[in-house]
Amino acid sequence: MASFASVGLDWCFTSFGWPCSNSKPTFSHASYAASALPIPPPYVGYGPGLVTRYLAASFFRVIGTDPSQGIIEQARSSTSKQGFPNVKLREASAEQSPFLSDGSVDMVVTGQAAHWFDYPKLFPEMKRILRPGGTLAFWGYKDPVFPDYPKATKILDEYSYGNDERSLGLHWSQPGRSILQNKLRDIKPPTSDWEDIERVEYEPRTSGPRTGEGTMFLNRTIKIGECKSYVRKWSSFHSWQEQHPEQIRREEGGPGDLADEMFDKMLIEDPEWQAEDLWEEKEVEIEWASGLLLARRK
């Protein structure tokens, strides 16, 4: 494996949001900021500025960008000048960064955002701002898997990608979601400008924890109820909810929403969950399929 960027380099450029395009999801900045499970870095880059703040300890200067003013404001509220004096946050797209001079950046990192980019515009800009030998690192993760519970995993997948109105499949923004499902393999740095291209992937299996194929980056033990709340943070769920405002979750006094229905079916299928009086308090292991793309600027 090639040796990529290390601690103590000068500039790191991170992008943690969407490009300015019609594929952008419709949920709020606050919802986006809260959408991650509370997993410590470096394992998750979901949430405004999280990756930027984590990398601040490894670089003399770090800049984080997003084309959305609201996302940048969310990031600034969590990134104090006292705690992160070497971090700057700017409203800008990954495809256009005129404030950075040619060959001025040692490393470009994108966590859970690369599937939104306009690649014909992105790669020329990455080539411009990265120094020769500089590192490009894109990574993302897709759906959670219950490695100990095959039936629950199957139900989650059916609800996530079914093509009827009792599922979320029609509500994902495309082509971004498909790129994530394919673990970023559709993102292909031009070999004329990039070398040492590597992909590190993980695909969970339902034959037990850590039995999946590849290198696992992201897993967590959480309560079933927390996992249900996590599903409600998905952009596809927000889109479905906008079209079904009458379906209110049970904990808010309603008859139940799609997440309630989904997890009720899991409960019916799994005797181990049924044995728990407070089944939503039961802790389960989840793993995420993930993809990491590394490349070096020629």
Side-chain angles (χ1 to χ4, degrees):
M1 176 179 287
S3 175
F4 286 90
S6 60
V7 173
L9 294 174
D10 188 13
W11 264 110
C12 182
F13 174 69
T14 71
S15 183
F16 46 86
W18 310 292
C20 295
S21 74
N22 292 330
S23 65
K24 179 174 167 182
T26 58
F27 57 104
S28 70
H29 304 133
S31 295
Y32 174 76
S35 61
L37 285 168
I39 303 168
Y43 302 109
V44 64
Y46 210 161
L50 197 154
V51 170
T52 305
R53 292 190 294 273
Y54 180 78
L55 290 169
S58 300
F59 292 84
F60 294 118
R61 294 180 290 174
V62 181
I63 185 167
T65 69
D66 192 280
S68 165
Q69 181 181 358
I71 294 294
I72 290 297
E73 289 174 355
Q74 287 282 336
R76 285 174 176 158
S77 69
S78 303
T79 311
S80 68
K81 292 182 179 180
Q82 294 78 15
F84 301 92
N86 61 331
V87 171
K88 291 185 178 180
L89 299 168
R90 298 196 58 149
E91 184 181 343
S93 70
E95 297 87 351
Q96 290 183 309
S97 48
F99 47 88
L100 292 173
S101 57
D102 295 0
S104 63
V105 174
D106 292 291
M107 187 174 187
V108 174
V109 178
T110 291
Q112 197 68 357
H115 53 294
W116 297 120
F117 296 154
D118 185 340
Y119 308 115
K121 294 180 180 179
L122 175 76
F123 284 115
E125 182 68 350
M126 297 297 99
K127 177 186 175 182
R128 183 187 72 80
I129 66 174
L130 272 169
R131 64 169 176 79
T135 298
L136 190 75
F138 292 169
W139 58 273
Y141 58 91
K142 55 173 185 173
D143 317 294
V145 167
F146 301 99
D148 290 315
Y149 302 102
K151 291 181 179 179
T153 296
K154 182 180 179 182
I155 291 168
L156 180 63
D157 184 72
E158 289 172 348
Y159 272 89
S160 297
Y161 295 105
N163 289 320
D164 57 68
E165 278 304 312
R166 298 309 303 168
S167 61
L168 303 176
L170 299 175
H171 297 276
W172 292 108
S173 296
Q174 296 292 357
R177 192 65 192 179
S178 295
I179 293 171
L180 265 186
Q181 284 183 278
N182 203 30
K183 296 190 280 290
L184 307 185
R185 293 173 191 166
D186 301 302
I187 305 175
K188 300 177 180 179
T191 54
S192 57
D193 300 320
W194 305 90
E195 61 185 354
D196 295 334
I197 298 171
E198 296 183 14
R199 297 181 187 274
V200 184
E201 301 176 350
Y202 183 70
E203 186 65 42
R205 294 195 178 112
T206 54
S207 50
R210 300 181 181 273
T211 60
E213 182 178 354
T215 302
M216 186 175 67
F217 290 125
L218 184 55
N219 69 316
R220 185 179 170 94
T221 300
I222 66 169
K223 297 177 181 179
I224 294 173
E226 290 176 328
C227 191
K228 184 193 291 190
S229 296
Y230 172 56
V231 169
R232 289 189 174 115
K233 301 292 186 182
W234 293 355
S235 61
S236 59
F237 189 88
H238 281 257
S239 175
W240 176 88
Q241 198 168 43
E242 287 178 354
Q243 295 185 19
H244 301 86
E246 76 287 353
Q247 297 196 23
I248 301 171
R249 66 184 73 175
R250 283 197 295 265
E251 63 191 51
E252 294 180 352
D257 59 11
L258 194 64
D260 288 319
E261 178 182 315
M262 183 189 314
F263 279 79
D264 285 350
K265 284 195 175 182
M266 295 181 193
L267 177 64
I268 292 171
E269 291 292 334
D270 201 293
E272 187 176 328
W273 292 18
Q274 295 170 23
E276 301 284 338
D277 291 334
L278 300 174
W279 66 277
E280 290 197 17
E281 295 294 309
K282 177 180 174 59
E283 291 189 337
V284 294
E285 181 85 4
I286 56 174
E287 297 177 356
W288 284 264
S290 57
L292 167 66
L293 167 63
L294 296 168
R296 191 191 306 282
R297 163 83 154 83
K298 284 185 176 180

